[in-house]
């Protein structure tokens, strides 16, 4: 499996995966403006998934991570998240935060596996369907 920087050629695949996974998917033009914050996982030329890490000063935020349904449970998210954490350390970030739907067991397990801890909860943060967000942080 290869983890690499996202390019303009990845925009359609990222947008399609966003639409498949999230009720408020990022449009293609938004993805295009954020490519420098994204990593892609691929295998034998096939797109497996992506992750996006934004930062302001020394604060990182994992804005998205998703893997194509037929390629899940094969370690792609593990590899993407490990690469993002390395990137955060290289950029001297102090911590990485994220929000996740309270019912998203697979994602919460992924984040805990990589050392993120729950630091808060926002009531009714998400829409469609309305749901609380769990706030998690990894101190680097
Ligand atoms: C969450 C998601 C990114 C995991 O991707 P993945 O490539 O299947 O994950 P991996 O195979 O790398 O698994 C890594 C770890 O995640 C956790 N995990 C992943 N899928 C899981 C599941 N279905 N149930 C429980 N834990 C799971 C486990 O801790 C796993 O480690 P393990 O294999 O040692 O048990 C994927 O399910 C997905 O794209 N979901 C939809 C998008 C989404 O919800 N993104 C998060 C938004 S906050």
């Amino acid at each position: 499996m290869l983890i690499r920087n996202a390019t303009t050629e990845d925009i359609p695949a990222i947008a399609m995966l966003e639409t498949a996974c999230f009720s408020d998917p990022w449009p293609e033009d938004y993805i295009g403006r954020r490519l420098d914050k994204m990593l892609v996982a691929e295998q034998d030329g096939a797109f497996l998934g992506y992750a996006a890490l934004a930062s302001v000063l020394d604060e990182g935020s994992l804005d998205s991570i998703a893997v194509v349904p037929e390629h899940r449970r094969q370690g792609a998210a593990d590899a993407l998240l490990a690469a993002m954490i390395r990137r955060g350390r290289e950029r001297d970030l102090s911590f990485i935060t994220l929000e996740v739907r309270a019912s998203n067991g697979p994602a919460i397990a992924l984040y805990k596996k990589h050392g993120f801890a729950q630091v808060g909860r926002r009531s009714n943060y998400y829409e469609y369907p309305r749901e609380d967000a769990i706030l998690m942080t990894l101190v680097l």
Side-chain angles (χ1 to χ4, degrees):
M1 187 183 310
L2 171 70
I3 304 295
R4 59 164 176 78
N5 292 323
T7 72
T8 51
E9 288 176 14
D10 298 310
I11 294 174
I14 294 171
M16 207 183 299
L17 184 51
E18 276 274 318
T19 302
C21 292
F22 305 118
S23 56
D24 55 347
W26 292 345
E28 290 202 4
D29 60 334
Y30 182 81
I31 294 167
R33 291 196 302 275
R34 299 175 69 83
L35 283 176
D36 62 329
K37 300 169 181 28
M38 294 188 181
L39 293 175
V40 163
E42 73 171 39
Q43 189 146 39
D44 303 326
F47 173 90
L48 305 184
Y50 70 97
L53 177 71
S55 60
V56 176
L57 301 176
D58 65 336
E59 301 179 12
S61 105
L62 189 82
D63 288 347
S64 195
I65 184 165
V67 172
V68 174
E70 53 270 34
H71 293 295
R72 287 183 190 162
R73 306 268 24 199
Q74 295 164 26
D78 253 349
L80 282 165
L81 189 52
M84 278 307 193
I85 293 169
R86 267 198 309 279
R87 182 182 264 204
R89 290 207 165 95
E90 283 160 15
R91 294 184 179 178
D92 284 333
L93 299 184
S94 298
F95 56 86
I96 299 175
T97 59
L98 60 84
E99 288 122 19
V100 54
R101 282 184 180 269
S103 65
N104 194 342
I108 291 170
L110 168 72
Y111 301 140
K112 283 187 176 159
K113 181 177 174 183
H114 287 263
F116 285 80
Q118 180 171 343
V119 292
R121 187 175 184 113
R122 280 196 191 124
S123 283
N124 294 322
Y125 179 77
Y126 292 105
E127 292 186 306
Y128 315 116
R130 195 159 277 290
E131 188 176 358
D132 291 358
I134 304 294
L135 310 186
M136 302 184 83
T137 295
L138 172 69
V139 177
L140 297 177

